[in-house]
Amino acid sequence: MTSEKRGGPWRVLIASSHSLFAEGLRGLLQKRPRGEVEVVGLAATIEEALDALGKHQPDLVIVDYDDEIFNRDEILARFVEGEGRLRVVLLSLGDGGDEAIVYDRRTMAAAQIEDWLEKWTDSQVSAQLPVIAISDEEEQSPFQKRSKHMKHYIFAALLVIVLTLASIVGLDQVRLLPEQASVQAEPIDILFDIEFKIIAFLFALIVGLMIYSIIVFRRRPGDDTDADHVEGNPRLEVLWTIAPLATVLYLSFLGAQVLGDTLRADPQPLEVRVVGSQWSWRFEYPLEGITSTELRLPVNKQALLQLSSTDVIHSFWVPEFRLKQDALPGGEDMIRELRITPKNTGEYTVRCAELCGTQHATMIAPVLVQTQEDFQAWVDEQAGEVSDDPVERGQRWADQFGCLACHTTDGTQSVGPTWQGVFGSQEALADGTTVEVDEAYLRESILNPGAKIVAGHQNIMPANIAQDMTDEQIDDVIEFIKSLR
Ligand code: CUA
């Protein structure tokens, strides 16, 4: 406000019928150095005051609050009607000590004298007359006002600190993260921990200040005044822009570091090819010559997972390992890698974390972390064990290649036609014709799933499902289907 004032001294009108008040105040004001204040008139009656308002255009009117001859309402009413910039001070030197009410025409808010004083003392503008005019006895020193504000700052800060600590303790009680089961999970959890603490502080800062303001600065009964007129605070705005920016930059730096940690490669990891299909997982161990529907990993050895998909985008996710990676269709070029070093033996579950169709929710597979010896025993057993029975082998291939995710063997209807009793039957096709289910039809349906669609089903079988199967494996699967009478 003060900075907007035109140049030159402050033009002050004093309104009081008591000459002691008027002359005394004028004497005080004229003692101000450098001609900052010009007392443009003394008004002893309301008529004189209104007349002087028009004639002298003062910046400030000081009204004797205790003067019965002066109608304060009348002065204020005139004051509100006017256009120019004007401030009115109702000054009381009565029993209550030096009290004053300040009215600013621009906002018409009955601001507290403390705030008003602070504005003038803070200001770089030299016009400090009101401070001199009424702080002759040093009743309201700036220091006192500051300490009153300080009290609010301290209480609000304490509330924020308490709420932050309570939130952190509360978050600790809730089990937010599952078991930490991989080496790669360690830096990730440290980052999570930092972020949880920042979130707890932000929560406390916002909610704490809100609660404090709602309770302490609530409107009291009978208070009809407007709130203080606040016009922004550049210092605060710069602060609340820079602080979050710095925080986010720091977090992104930490995030990059953690990403680097999780990608760190051990020499000679265990290679596993992970293939997602609607809606099953297949795990191939190329060096061991094993294909499996469960992911077995030796503990404390890094596994290099090479992820791909036969159809749509899936996402490999074991929450206990913390890592997640999409499995993309598109062949060798689209293989994505994930490095996991399990650090606890145990049973986990891999989930698909990418919405991939109707059975997405059931696209899960067991994960077994074993000791080196147990894992090796499993490898030896799997490698040695290929049954002589084509039906048994066919069942194994059907399981491993994900056929059984969609085709049941017990007559239940699922996404694909059930295999029970299908061999030798007459199937009604989507185009209205029928076909006899013989070996030729089964083979065609595996190699080219879209050729003849059974009525009531859609062609969602991966077209390239047979690509990874040998002819012998396909023969075995057909034998297996034939056995399901
Ligand atoms: Cu695969 Cu969801």
Side-chain angles (χ1 to χ4, degrees), residues 13 15 45-55 57-58 61 63 70-88 90 103-106 108:
L13 174 68
T45 64
I46 189 102
E47 287 75 26
E48 279 179 30
L50 297 178
D51 188 42
L53 263 184
K55 212 156 72 189
Q57 302 280 315
V61 183
V63 180
F70 265 96
N71 185 337
R72 296 187 295 266
D73 295 344
E74 175 89 37
I75 291 269
L76 287 176
R78 285 307 172 101
F79 159 66
V80 183
E81 281 168 13
E83 294 278 299
R85 206 154 275 168
L86 178 62
R87 205 167 245 192
V88 170
L90 301 180
Y103 291 94
D104 190 313
R105 181 182 272 163
R106 287 197 312 164
M108 219 13 228

Side-chain angles (χ1 to χ4, degrees), residues 277 279 281 312-315 352-357 360-361 363:
S277 300
W279 288 275
W281 295 101
V312 297
I313 299 175
H314 303 279
S315 183
C352 177
E354 181 74 50
L355 184 61
C356 58
H360 155 72
M363 189 168 163

Side-chain angles (χ1 to χ4, degrees), residues 390-392 394-396 398-399 403-404 407-412 417-425 427 437 442 476-485:
V391 172
E392 227 169 85
Q395 178 167 21
R396 183 167 156 185
D399 188 28
C403 312
L404 301 182
H407 301 279
T408 68
T409 56
D410 59 3
T412 324
T418 183
W419 283 356
Q420 193 193 42
V422 75
F423 187 75
S425 70
E427 282 278 36
V437 179
L442 288 177
D476 291 344
V477 170
I478 291 171
E479 286 307 313
F480 173 57
I481 295 174
K482 278 164 71 175
S483 74
L484 297 166
R485 301 277 170 185

Side-chain angles (χ1 to χ4, degrees), residues 231-241:
E231 274 185 24
N233 184 331
R235 221 190 301 166
L236 193 61
E237 285 165 24
V238 168
L239 183 75
W240 77 38
T241 306

Side-chain angles (χ1 to χ4, degrees), residues 376-393:
Q376 196 53 52
W378 175 73
V379 168
D380 295 342
E381 179 200 350
Q382 291 288 308
E385 181 210 79
V386 178
S387 173
D388 299 337
D389 180 2
V391 172
E392 227 169 85
R393 290 198 306 263

